[in-house]
Amino acid sequence: MEKPRHEELGLSENELLTMYELMLTARKVDERMWLLNRAGKIPFVISCQGQEAAQVGAAMALNREEDYALPYYRDMGVVLAFGMTIRDIMMSSFAKAEDPNSAGRQMPGHFGQRKNRIVTGSSPVTTQVPHAVGIALAGKMQKESFVTLTTFGEGSSNQGDFHEGANFAGVHNLPVIFMCENNKYAISVPVEKQLACESVADRGQGYGMPGIQVDGNDPLAVYEAVKKAAERGRNGEGPTLIETLSYRLTAHSSDDDDRSYRSQEEVEEAKKKDALVTFAAYLREHNILTAEKEEEMDERIQQEIDEATEAAEDAPYADAEDALKYVYHES
Ligand SMILES: Cc1ncc(C[n+]2csc(CCOP(=O)(O)OP(=O)(O)O)c2C)c(N)n1
Ligand SMILES: [Mg+2]
């Protein structure tokens, strides 16, 4: 009999359950944030929904004690996997002083946390890409063994920052994983109007690196691709470009109304491929996610989200006199 895919990949049952739990946590935190936004309690949401499988599959393929993540605003799955907590994320959503990303100065989704090697991006999209390349260069010069993972949307793969970063990493053979989370839209612009080439993955060739496309709704496929890319990086074989194909299940952000540029039928069709449903089915089929485990997991996550929401709502804002802290160098 053929081995199940997860066994081929060397993933244990516990690792698979962790993978699913991280995906489910990201989804549930995101859903809570929309409720809080619509209730007028938090100002802004930018969602991970539809991309959790790619994010968690990628992060779990890395050494999360050593590698660096340079995520973009949708990457709740990546940052949770790298050690950011639900409480941290809620503190950021409520813009409270305890927010580890910026103590409430930045919009939500600007993830950054030194202790977990999560490096922040800026609001202009794609700034994280050259930073990932620079960190990989530093690692190579210091003979370190870490790789950097940077993620960005397919629209952002048109920015100069992507092309300059990819070229430099290709020329210098740097251990960078460029992961494009293609969710088919850049706000209201569909992918057909964003790219002149067939796929983002094709762009790898121009920069001397493999470019591969994977099903972004399949966390195991993304895990496998990122694992190989990390090995290449650590072996001195240079960067890899990975394009994960999925679909943005929510509007671009809480300030967007997607009904003006896409049909409800299209969204409903995409929901049939939702990895939260398909991966859970895979785990049930292999008797890894039992009804008991599922219930226990569900309750645990829900309770943690409730506690984090309450704590963040009650937490103090930063002191007004701290507003300029960290803006300029402080010795
Ligand atoms: C340099 C720059 N130009 C424009 C914007 C406005 N903007 C914010 S998100 C976004 C769409 C990005 O689309 P994509 O890269 O596909 O990521 P997605 O939101 O779909 O995940 C745009 C145009 C920006 N933040 N920065
Ligand atoms: Mg996009």
Side-chain angles (χ1 to χ4, degrees), residues 29 32-45 86-109 305-318:
V29 172
R32 171 60 58 86
M33 293 193 324
W34 277 92
L35 284 179
L36 291 167
N37 175 265
R38 291 321 193 219
K41 294 195 173 193
I42 64 171
F44 188 71
V45 185
I86 299 174
R87 184 184 167 105
D88 291 337
I89 289 169
M90 278 299 167
M91 289 293 172
S92 164
S93 300
F94 279 90
K96 296 298 174 78
E98 208 187 294
D99 158 32
N101 303 284
S102 71
R105 290 172 177 78
Q106 277 276 37
M107 287 169 85
I305 293 176
D306 287 345
E307 284 169 9
T309 307
E310 207 171 308
E313 197 169 4
D314 293 346
Y317 288 106

Side-chain angles (χ1 to χ4, degrees), residues 72-74 123-125 153-156 159 183 185-187 194 252:
Y72 87 116
Y73 44 79
R74 295 199 194 283
S123 289
V125 296
E154 81 292 340
S156 302
Q159 284 285 125
N183 59 10
Y185 286 89
I187 313 186
Q194 296 176 45
H252 173 74

Side-chain angles (χ1 to χ4, degrees), residues 17-18 20-22 24 28 289 292-302:
L17 286 172
T18 301
Y20 179 65
E21 178 158 349
L22 286 165
L24 188 63
K28 282 179 177 287
L289 187 66
E292 217 172 71
K293 281 208 175 95
E294 210 167 342
E295 200 184 313
E296 182 269 324
M297 193 186 278
D298 229 67
E299 273 175 22
R300 185 154 35 80
I301 297 171
Q302 211 55 56

Side-chain angles (χ1 to χ4, degrees), residues 8-33:
E8 294 282 353
L9 295 171
L11 280 164
S12 69
E13 295 200 357
N14 270 344
E15 284 170 315
L16 293 166
L17 286 172
T18 301
M19 198 177 250
Y20 179 65
E21 178 158 349
L22 286 165
M23 286 165 55
L24 188 63
T25 304
R27 174 66 58 96
K28 282 179 177 287
V29 172
D30 202 272
E31 286 172 350
R32 171 60 58 86
M33 293 193 324

